[in-house]
Amino acid sequence: MTNRKFLTTCLLSGFAAGTVYAQDPIFRNSAFEVYKDKIVQGNYTAKILSAKHIVSNYQSPANEFISPVINFKFSINRKDNEMRPGVNHSFACLPVNGVCETPVIKFGTQYVDDRKVPEKTFLAPDTKLIIKVDMREVLAALKKDGFYTTFNGEKIYAQDFKELYVAGETEPMVWDFDNLHNRPQLEMKDPDGDGIYEATMLVNEQKKEKDLATDWKLSKDISAFPQYKSGFPVSDAIYNMSLEEMQRAIEPDSTFRTGKEWAGVWTRDISYSIILSMAYLQPKVAKYSLMRKVKNGKIIQDTGTGGAYPNSTDRMIWANAAWELYKATGDKDWLQQSYSIIKNSVDDDLLNAHDKVTGMVRGESSFLDWREQTYPKWMQPADIFESECLGTNAVHYQASKVLSEMATLLNKKEDAEKYAAVAQRIKDGINQHLWIAEKGYYGQYVYGSNFRSLSEKSEALGEALTVIFGIADDNRKKLVVSKTPVTAFGISCIYPQIENIPPYHNDAVWPFVQSYWAQAAAKAGNENAVLASIAAIYRPAAMFLTNKENFVATNGDYKGTVINSSNMLWSLAGNISLVHKILFGIEFKADRLEFHPFIPYAFNGKRILDNFSYRNAILNIQVEGYGNSIRQFILDGKIITEPIVPATLTGKHSIKIVMANNKLTVQVNEVANHTAPGYPECMLKGSLLVWTAQKNAAAYKVLKNGKEVIRTNKMSTTVETDAYAEYQVIAMDKEGYESFASEPAVVMGKNVINIEMETVAAKAGYDYKGFSGDGFVEISKDKNLQLSIPVSIPEDGLYAIRFRYSNGNGPKNTENKCAIRTVKENGTFIGTVIFPQRGPDEWSNWGLSNPVQQTLTKGDHVISLSFEPANENMNGEINQAMIDMVSVVKIK
């Protein structure tokens, strides 16, 4: 893989003369070009006819040359449980009279069509596809044994067998297992009861209506908002289109609509949007929307793996949005109200999610909440909770910092000191545990089981937030922006990509993330990164004539991602922020407005922003020149030494900013898009650790307890088995990119204590299957609020305490019924365990909680599992699980 500098014509011609010629592009790279009045991508052109009119001939190539070879697999209960990940059925759909029909495929046995497909043969439009699967062996096992054992040893009990679907890569099939039920044509049915299930669907459907408009004309009155004019029609028109879409993103109840395809108010979506630009453009709507995401005086985590909070904890971005709203409005009542809400939420997190060892916070990656899109498939929801992620920790750092600053304004000195210390611990943890010195950027997260390692993928939003929030020092800021990999179409959510995972968070660019990356680039003084970010946002907006949710990193197309929406709130908010917060450099402080314009040379010239509202003032702002240093700041005709407007200013005022025309750094790490190898599956055979070979792997890294012990190109190695150990294997390709670490292969050691829960409390009366011992115990908000578990420890050491449980109150991907409990040892708090949802009504689907580690001395102890006030989940009513057993294992 070769790193390339962006080719920006502005840097190659006309610099000395101070002229950018009309025929030269503002920006050019290997994928597209941006001009003053058009954007060109291959055969497609978006033309700017005026500041109120754009036309585009863009057409998605997704349906033009679809392969007739269809890859798919079957799914029981919306899980990837038929065959190993990446192993699929393959069928050549060559229709006869418009119909294709697969042979009857035996569930669990890979079918590969050996017919040769002629060259330049594509899937015929509107083909009727019939898929058939033989489920008789599965049904026989369910009847005889009461369960069916999947390829990886998991048992699906007869009472938990709910539904059968087909998943795949050809529309209308998707690889989104969790949401297969949203596409009813993918459900396999057996109407005659013979054990042969089938589904019928239309593939390569030719829709009568186009997905995209070809023409945008301003149709709404946007005069109430800041009016922007420059010498760059492309910038003016896209800004106006975004303002118009902003108005469409407000519901009748004066709350934000997340996107055209996404109804409702979502905590993280509105919060990131409010921070970008909605705090000052729509302050009332911002406040209403934020308060919609508060319950019992705490911030709502409304989405996330396994039942939301605390498996996901990035609700705290609400705090940063609330602070931005206060800085924009100066509303003291809002300051007091939001302070209490944030404090209550942070205090819960301190008990439920903070790691006292690393100083960081647990919970899945901020906004990247689609498990296999950014995590290895072996990780269960409780494993994801244990991960400590870059973006999420950046959010928690800033939330605690904001809380401290609010406390200072409210004269709460002790609170200010307390939460400043919390923020510092998180910051130190990020810099100690996530920084990769040899790469020059932060890793994605630490993950594993009792011992964890660092995923060395970059994570775009997290990288940006470390720079914007000041987690990275000045040197690291510059390194992060210049070294983090970016593709020709923009910065992908993660890099490198994950094998056999379709684009959404994986292999995708999200414009709102690109907007934060642009702000980070400006903070780091990196001109080319700022320019490339503006171009990466303008291209899709102009080509698609809307602010899309996302697009494929590989080809820049909107249609290849699993889910997408037009008129996306955070995308349009980010687009607007390019003008306000970068080109004009507007930065809100608690008591003032500051200006730090960053204007790439390619955008050199004069620009005007009129009717900008700041508290009780209306500002008409003009900026001339380029660079990021100000030569003169003129307020109402008077030169001011500092580029600041006080919060006390009232009435109409004019501001003129003359830039110093200073040259800036240009290094950007543009790379070809790349997919890392898949992760191996490893197992122990006595003292021999063996693993599966992976395509494109040049070597394998073996970890013991999270640390590398050997590199080899073989498929096995001898390991120590005399004490507890966790072994994992990472595949590495020739470019040096790594797969995820494999699921740990565990040597349990000799000090393993298993205690059946029905020996310490009355067993539940439900007819669930798959438990160990004689039964299991129910915990809920009115049953077994405290369980005391006596345990005799054989020798001093560090022990991991973990529970085997089931929770059938919802699916793995959504809802809000994750059960939460506090663990104490001899009455002293030692940690929080969570029992995430494992599937709707799947009470015989057993899994493990997260481990809680504690140093224990030899002798008798009492471990308690209790429901405490901080253990309230987001549902409020259902906080329930079945507990089968507890394991206490010496790990060190």
Side-chain angles (χ1 to χ4, degrees), residues 21 82 101 185 199 201 283 469 566 686 708 779 813 827 869 888:
Y21 297 103
E82 184 196 7
E101 183 174 322
Q185 68 268 48
M201 66 197 73
F469 294 159
S566 301
E708 181 180 351
I779 58 171
N813 64 315
V888 183

Side-chain angles (χ1 to χ4, degrees), residues 259-276:
K260 183 179 179 182
E261 309 300 328
W262 292 104
V265 181
W266 299 85
T267 303
R268 69 170 66 96
D269 296 63
I270 62 162
S271 297
Y272 280 116
S273 303
I274 288 166
I275 296 165
L276 284 166

Side-chain angles (χ1 to χ4, degrees), residues 703-860:
L703 308 182
K704 177 184 179 182
N705 296 342
K707 305 294 183 184
E708 181 180 351
V709 291
I710 189 173
R711 290 193 188 191
T712 180
N713 56 11
K714 298 178 180 179
M715 299 296 114
S716 65
T717 189
T718 302
V719 297
E720 298 174 349
T721 59
D722 56 337
Y724 183 92
E726 296 175 359
Y727 290 100
Q728 295 172 281
V729 181
I730 294 172
M732 304 174 64
D733 62 23
K734 63 182 180 181
E735 289 88 357
Y737 290 109
E738 298 183 353
S739 73
F740 286 124
S742 64
E743 183 174 7
V746 181
V747 176
M748 293 302 292
K750 61 181 180 179
N751 292 315
V752 180
I753 304 163
N754 293 324
I755 301 170
E756 296 291 342
M757 292 303 294
E758 68 273 15
T759 65
V760 298
K763 67 180 181 181
Y766 303 107
D767 187 27
Y768 303 147
K769 310 296 182 184
F771 54 86
S772 62
D774 294 326
F776 51 88
V777 171
E778 179 183 5
I779 58 171
S780 68
K781 293 188 72 172
D782 56 11
K783 293 181 181 177
N784 293 312
L785 296 180
Q786 178 166 321
L787 294 169
S788 297
I789 308 161
V791 57
S792 181
I793 299 301
E795 62 183 41
D796 296 354
L798 180 65
Y799 286 78
I801 302 162
R802 204 167 196 175
F803 296 84
R804 187 170 188 258
Y805 80 99
S806 72
N807 181 347
N809 280 313
K812 287 174 68 173
N813 64 315
T814 186
E815 297 191 15
N816 57 9
K817 304 181 191 76
C818 176
I820 315 169
R821 293 297 183 273
T822 292
V823 181
K824 298 179 181 178
E825 183 259 325
N826 292 343
T828 300
F829 174 87
I830 59 173
T832 299
V833 288
I834 69 167
F835 307 107
Q837 300 161 185
R838 297 185 59 81
D841 296 319
E842 293 183 33
W843 290 101
S844 296
N845 180 350
W846 300 89
L848 297 177
S849 73
N850 60 297
V852 171
Q853 297 181 9
Q854 176 70 5
T855 299
L856 300 174
T857 56
K858 180 179 179 179
D860 294 333

Side-chain angles (χ1 to χ4, degrees), residues 276-536:
L276 284 166
S277 59
M278 294 299 103
Y280 56 91
L281 288 176
Q282 297 285 355
K284 289 184 179 179
V285 179
K287 183 177 179 180
Y288 294 156
S289 299
L290 287 170
M291 288 308 298
R292 185 69 64 85
K293 308 314 297 181
V294 175
K295 183 178 180 181
N296 298 326
K298 300 174 184 178
I299 305 164
I300 296 172
Q301 180 77 44
D302 52 19
T303 184
T305 292
Y309 184 82
N311 214 85
S312 285
T313 60
D314 71 334
R315 62 179 180 155
M316 295 314 303
I317 193 64
W318 189 101
N320 306 317
W323 180 235
E324 192 73 12
L325 181 58
Y326 170 72
K327 290 188 295 181
T329 64
D331 184 340
K332 296 291 186 182
D333 291 337
W334 173 248
L335 177 68
Q336 181 64 65
Q337 183 181 21
S338 59
Y339 172 80
S340 298
I341 294 166
I342 297 165
K343 184 179 185 299
N344 293 340
S345 304
V346 169
D347 286 347
D348 277 359
D349 287 347
L350 285 168
L351 293 171
N352 292 328
H354 280 245
D355 184 337
K356 60 186 178 183
V357 176
T358 65
M360 295 194 294
V361 186
R362 300 177 178 90
E364 75 185 321
S365 294
S366 183
F367 113 88
L368 304 174
D369 63 340
W370 189 338
R371 295 134 313 281
E372 62 270 18
Q373 282 282 334
T374 47
Y375 284 93
K377 284 192 173 184
W378 62 261
M379 290 183 72
Q380 294 296 307
D383 299 317
I384 292 174
F385 164 70
E386 277 290 304
S387 64
E388 296 175 14
C389 309
L390 179 63
T392 300
N393 272 273
V395 165
H396 280 276
Y397 161 77
Q398 189 68 4
S400 294
K401 183 181 174 186
V402 160
L403 190 55
S404 176
E405 292 185 37
M406 285 182 163
T408 298
L409 291 176
L410 294 169
N411 298 314
K412 298 176 183 290
K413 182 179 178 182
E414 288 186 8
D415 282 356
E417 292 174 351
K418 172 184 175 180
Y419 296 112
V422 171
Q424 188 63 47
R425 287 200 301 271
I426 298 170
K427 179 179 179 178
D428 291 345
I430 292 170
N431 282 302
Q432 179 181 349
H433 297 286
L434 300 182
W435 179 252
I436 310 173
E438 59 270 26
K439 291 185 179 290
Y441 52 83
Y442 294 91
Q444 182 183 18
Y445 46 63
V446 290
Y447 68 121
S449 183
N450 282 305
F451 298 94
R452 293 172 294 180
S453 59
L454 175 62
S455 169
E456 295 195 353
K457 293 182 187 294
S458 63
E459 191 256 283
L461 181 59
E463 309 290 349
L465 296 182
T466 63
V467 175
I468 295 168
F469 294 159
I471 295 166
D473 61 25
D474 288 344
N475 181 55
R476 286 188 177 181
K477 285 179 184 178
K478 294 175 182 178
L479 285 172
V480 166
V481 175
S482 64
K483 297 294 186 182
T484 300
V486 297
T487 73
F489 286 105
I491 187 165
S492 57
C493 293
I494 59 171
Y495 192 93
Q497 315 307 329
I498 306 171
E499 184 183 62
N500 295 320
I501 298 297
Y504 185 63
H505 294 140
N506 185 61
D507 192 19
V509 176
W510 287 57
F512 98 90
V513 174
Q514 191 78 53
S515 299
Y516 278 101
W517 184 248
Q519 290 188 29
K523 288 272 188 185
N526 192 315
E527 179 179 10
N528 242 24
V530 171
L531 181 59
S533 292
I534 294 172

